[in-house]
Amino acid sequence: MGVSGISDQEQISGEIASIQAEYEAGLEDGAAVNNRTVLDYPPYRSSVLRHPTKDLHHTDPETIELVSPAFGHRDVDGVESDLTIQHSGEPLGERIVVTGRVLDGDDRPVRNQLVEVWQANAAGRYIHKRDQHPAPIDPNFTGTGRTITDDDGNYRFVTIKPGAYPWRNHTNAWRPAHIHFSLFGNAFTQRIITQMYFPGDPLFPLDPIYNSIVDPAARARLVANYDHALTSPEWSLGYRWDIVLTGQQSTWFESEGVDA
Ligand SMILES: [Fe+2]
């Protein structure tokens, strides 16, 4: 515990390590691989009292669709996938392209899929007023964008690399740099949300959200690959990240209410 009674990193890291060791010991004893997040994950302190404890409530999707919003190709403008051109000036930071394919469990492209992103600016600050940590707001960066996948399931965003940012899980807690992703299926009842990370981030072993996915291979699927072929000379770095919606290689998606 830190001086204020709030846990410190050493405490959190110890808890992360022991849950991880327990999972790996289970695998050796023949337990199944767990590709999903552990919902009751004490190192992620604010989730302890709010994680789901009951099965999802099933609704009739057709009934919901009668009253829910709808979108089509015409509603999403091509420029909405470029987060660097939403204001009169250019945002500060490292310009990047993030692209990849949305696939189903059989490797088939998921076409015409609404993909939305939101992220902190290069200094690690969200435009959101709940984010009050002392890093500068960038007047030229809002940090939200959206696009529709093409016939091969491709999506593509131009943005700036987000910074790491502090949060109040424990003393000196910092989130690894990440971009939040939301995908809708064909209907609003099929929304899934996840986070994309950047390779080689030194904060990975310290972060309780990242580590609440206990399977190392499932965790690694949240990390984009640096791709030099996507990098444009004198312009931007390129990252590739495929999103697999179902099956053994599926990307992990978080439950509603995770907002860090
Ligand atoms: Fe975030």
Side-chain angles (χ1 to χ4, degrees), residues 120-133:
N121 70 22
R125 180 84 187 258
Y126 282 103
I127 202 105
H128 198 292
K129 68 173 187 274
R130 260 177 56 198
D131 183 354
Q132 294 292 340
H133 95 269

Side-chain angles (χ1 to χ4, degrees), residues 126 165 178 180 260:
Y126 282 103
Y165 60 80
H178 58 274
H180 296 267

Side-chain angles (χ1 to χ4, degrees), residues 118-120 126 163 165 175-180 195 209 258-260:
W118 62 100
Q119 64 166 92
Y126 282 103
Y165 60 80
R175 294 295 334 279
H178 58 274
I179 298 177
H180 296 267
Q195 301 181 20
I209 293 185
V258 177
D259 56 8

Side-chain angles (χ1 to χ4, degrees), residues 1-2 22 30 41 48 68 77 80 109 122 126 136 154 162 187 189 194 229 234:
M1 290 283 181
E22 200 178 313
Y41 192 75
V48 170
S68 64
D77 196 301
E80 293 183 66
Y126 282 103
N154 290 297
T189 44
T194 190
E234 325 230 348

Side-chain angles (χ1 to χ4, degrees), residues 1-6 8 171:
M1 290 283 181
V3 283
S4 60
I6 299 172
D8 58 21
T171 304

Side-chain angles (χ1 to χ4, degrees), residues 86-103:
Q86 295 174 346
H87 299 274
S88 56
E90 292 200 67
L92 295 172
E94 186 181 310
R95 189 184 296 108
I96 59 173
V97 168
V98 177
T99 188
R101 296 177 78 204
V102 181
L103 301 163

